[in-house]
Amino acid sequence: MSIIRKTKSVRLILSAFNDNKDAISIVELINKFNKKMNKTTVYRVLERLEKSSILHSFVGKDGLKRYAKGGKNSNSKKILNSHPHFLCEDCGTSSCIPIDIIIPSIPNYTIKTSEHLLIGQCKNCLS
Ligand SMILES: [Zn+2]
Ligand SMILES: [Zn+2]
């Protein structure tokens, strides 16, 4: 993990994730901080946080990048594990599902990352 400088923008963006267990889309983040920092800063900070494994991202069905806390893979280099994300079709909430999906090794292909998006209804929309 590289050291990330805790600038004001880094702290602000991290605080959004501390208040929220669900994933936050890039658009929500830009709107949330549009008075405090410009779009480019939001993108840059997110990219840095992702590189440092503080956040990870995945792409929703709408093609929007969403960010959530923590590193993406609990990988031990040899076995690539990845957790799926759940997207609720009704309310649009997305969240990390804390299970490991183990990616088998496939001859002739090198897999670096994988994304699993589960789509359905969350518990709030089912009740
Ligand atoms: Zn829902
Ligand atoms: Zn996740």
Side-chain angles (χ1 to χ4, degrees), residues 79-91:
I79 310 165
L80 182 70
N81 291 351
S82 171
H83 64 266
H85 293 102
F86 184 86
L87 177 68
C88 176
E89 279 183 323
D90 293 358
C91 66

Side-chain angles (χ1 to χ4, degrees), residues 1-5 47-54:
M1 193 193 266
S2 59
I3 306 295
I4 188 155
R5 247 175 5 110
E47 196 182 305
R48 269 162 54 202
L49 291 171
E50 191 171 6
K51 271 200 190 122
S52 313
S53 295
I54 296 168

Side-chain angles (χ1 to χ4, degrees), residues 23 56-58 66-72 83-86 95-98:
H56 63 285
S57 67
F58 59 98
R66 289 156 190 266
Y67 287 86
K69 259 202 282 192
K72 185 170 198 164
H83 64 266
H85 293 102
F86 184 86
S95 41
C96 297
I97 304 294

Side-chain angles (χ1 to χ4, degrees), residues 88 90-93 121-122 124-125:
C88 176
D90 293 358
C91 66
T93 303
Q121 271 83 40
C122 74
N124 295 332
C125 293

Side-chain angles (χ1 to χ4, degrees), residues 19-115:
D19 306 339
N20 196 332
K21 287 200 316 298
D22 295 326
I24 313 176
S25 78
I26 184 83
V27 172
E28 285 171 82
L29 287 164
I30 287 168
N31 290 341
K32 191 175 164 76
F33 295 114
N34 72 358
K35 293 213 176 63
K36 299 200 173 81
M37 61 186 100
N38 65 36
K39 222 167 142 167
T40 323
T41 310
V42 177
Y43 278 112
R44 212 177 47 224
V45 168
L46 288 171
E47 196 182 305
R48 269 162 54 202
L49 291 171
E50 191 171 6
K51 271 200 190 122
S52 313
S53 295
I54 296 168
L55 298 180
H56 63 285
S57 67
F58 59 98
V59 178
K61 208 172 63 163
D62 46 13
L64 283 180
K65 235 179 169 184
R66 289 156 190 266
Y67 287 86
K69 259 202 282 192
K72 185 170 198 164
N73 300 315
S74 51
N75 65 342
S76 58
K77 295 273 176 206
K78 278 195 192 125
I79 310 165
L80 182 70
N81 291 351
S82 171
H83 64 266
H85 293 102
F86 184 86
L87 177 68
C88 176
E89 279 183 323
D90 293 358
C91 66
T93 303
S94 52
S95 41
C96 297
I97 304 294
I99 57 166
D100 273 347
I101 289 183
I102 298 170
I103 312 301
S105 60
I106 303 169
N108 305 322
Y109 292 92
T110 301
I111 300 165
K112 288 186 175 157
T113 136
S114 71
E115 295 200 1

